[in-house]
Amino acid sequence: MPVARIVGAIGRTLIAVGLLLLLFVAYQLYGTGLAEAQAQDDLREEFAASLAAAPSTTTTEPPRTSTTEGDRAPTTTATTAAPTTVPPAAVEGEAIAVIRIPAIGVDKAVVEGVSVGDLQKGPGHYPGTPLPGQPGNAAIAGHRTTYGAPFGDLGELAEGDEILVTTRQGEFRYLVDRITIVSPSQVDVLDPSEEARITLTTCHPKYSARQRLIVSGVLTGEPAQAPPATTPTDPAEDDPAEDDPAEDDPAEDDADDADDEEPGDDGGTGDDGETGDDDPVITESPASLDDPSLAGDPTARGPAAGWGAATALIALGAWLVGQRWRRWPAYLLGLPLGAVTLFLCFEQIARLLPANI
């Protein structure tokens, strides 16, 4: 008899665990989409307000019609010029663009940032890369299976498909020319480029974060105006002690001048490998595909455990009440409160997963 009770308890436990896993999968596939839809509404309103306040744009080339192979419908779009002024720097969490990919039905607002919280709102722009439409490699990440799965069908794109992006600087049209699958540590896909490009990244294969699917496109029209490059300053240059005439040694100055006038010293690269003042400034590379901000939020472990414990206590309480009173009425009374705490637990567990899975 004790063996039968133990086996029965183990069976009920396994059934409960299986039910929880099924509920979590349902939450990931459908429940997260509800949160993303609400966030998209807010982002679109925010972006529309920013467009209303931005300078008007003018058309620089006539509308183009492109037809791709298969069942893809022809689409028509126009590339517009950038305003004479560059928009303010993007703030993380705010809407910066709307991206449309007609071939796979994508029409989403793009948020600045690729953290877990940012990508729960929609596709996210990698900080450190140019904004879409500007010269260089503009990079955008997005979920493939959860939170509305904006890049769920990214693997169905083919060379020549359109990627249309609207920013505060106008509308821009890219054509897909490169589709690759890389490891999360292969960061060269985010490297700067001389031509205006867009790079879309998402997890691969579906339901996994083992690899990354990369779709890249090239801009068909003229790029928008880019923000001016900033040159880092050396704190030593602002040191008043450097300008103190009393500390200047003429002998040392003469020696320095002689060194500066060595043959072949034209401000370029010397024999020691150091670069001169006239060399171009290389900007810092953006966050890698394997950046911690994309790998999940470890701070969610505590809240996930807390809400999970609360759910277990509610279930235990309902069971104890059912033993002394009536089983099903007790379960029905505990169900609403348990559903809320379980939902909150699932939210925290989702934060632990890779941000663009």
Side-chain angles (χ1 to χ4, degrees):
M1 189 67 177
V3 174
R5 295 183 62 180
I6 292 175
V7 172
I10 293 175
R12 288 189 292 270
T13 301
L14 293 177
I15 292 174
V17 171
L19 180 60
L20 287 174
L21 290 176
L22 288 176
L23 289 174
F24 182 69
V25 171
Y27 165 80
Q28 285 285 87
L29 296 179
Y30 305 107
T32 56
L34 299 177
E36 186 264 355
Q38 179 60 51
Q40 279 289 303
D41 290 341
D42 296 339
L43 288 175
R44 287 183 179 277
E45 291 180 5
E46 178 185 320
F47 184 68
S50 68
L51 283 183
S56 60
T57 58
T58 57
T59 302
T60 59
E61 58 179 328
R64 299 185 178 190
T65 302
S66 65
T67 305
T68 55
E69 299 179 358
D71 298 330
R72 306 178 191 276
T75 57
T76 303
T77 184
T79 301
T80 58
T84 57
T85 58
V86 179
V91 178
E92 184 171 355
E94 292 186 356
I96 61 154
V98 169
I99 184 171
R100 293 183 293 121
I101 310 178
I104 56 176
V106 171
D107 187 352
K108 297 287 185 178
V110 179
V111 65
E112 175 68 13
V114 293
S115 68
V116 173
D118 294 329
L119 293 186
Q120 288 177 355
K121 300 177 182 178
H125 171 251
Y126 280 87
T129 68
L131 291 176
Q134 295 179 354
N137 185 15
I140 297 176
H143 282 284
R144 196 172 187 189
T145 57
T146 60
Y147 290 96
F151 288 171
D153 296 326
L154 206 61
E156 298 179 10
L157 289 178
E159 292 187 12
D161 284 340
E162 289 182 319
I163 301 174
L164 311 175
V165 185
T166 301
T167 72
R168 285 177 287 180
Q169 291 184 284
E171 299 178 3
F172 305 94
R173 176 175 179 263
Y174 296 86
L175 292 181
V176 174
D177 67 344
R178 194 181 306 159
I179 302 173
T180 56
I181 297 173
V182 303
S183 66
S185 60
Q186 189 171 336
V187 301
D188 59 317
V189 295
L190 301 183
D191 285 350
S193 64
E194 295 183 358
E195 58 186 347
R197 305 189 64 84
I198 192 169
T199 298
L200 309 181
T201 74
T202 192
C203 287
H204 181 82
K206 280 190 174 183
Y207 313 106
S208 171
R210 182 164 46 89
Q211 295 174 308
R212 298 291 184 268
L213 173 65
I214 309 297
V215 174
S216 182
V218 62
L219 185 67
T220 59
E222 290 296 323
Q225 183 177 354
T230 58
T231 303
T233 59
D234 186 356
E237 296 178 358
D238 299 330
D239 189 354
E242 297 291 336
D243 300 329
D244 189 355
E247 296 184 3
D248 290 342
D249 188 344
E252 291 182 0
D253 292 342
D254 292 341
D256 292 340
D257 292 341
D259 291 339
D260 294 339
E261 294 176 0
E262 288 182 359
D265 188 358
D266 58 356
T269 302
D271 294 338
D272 58 358
E274 294 183 357
T275 57
D277 295 337
D278 295 335
D279 291 338
V281 176
I282 301 176
T283 57
E284 184 180 356
S285 299
S288 70
L289 296 180
D290 208 19
D291 188 80
S293 63
L294 283 171
D297 184 1
T299 63
R301 295 172 182 170
W307 287 116
T311 304
L313 288 176
I314 292 171
L316 178 60
W319 180 79
L320 292 176
V321 171
Q323 295 297 311
R324 298 188 176 184
W325 186 42
R326 297 179 180 177
R327 178 179 300 179
W328 291 110
Y331 293 168
L332 292 176
L333 289 175
L335 181 62
L337 187 57
V340 171
T341 56
L342 184 62
F343 182 86
L344 295 174
C345 177
F346 284 167
E347 277 192 333
Q348 300 303 319
I349 294 176
R351 290 173 55 197
L352 295 171
L353 300 178
N356 57 349
I357 192 171

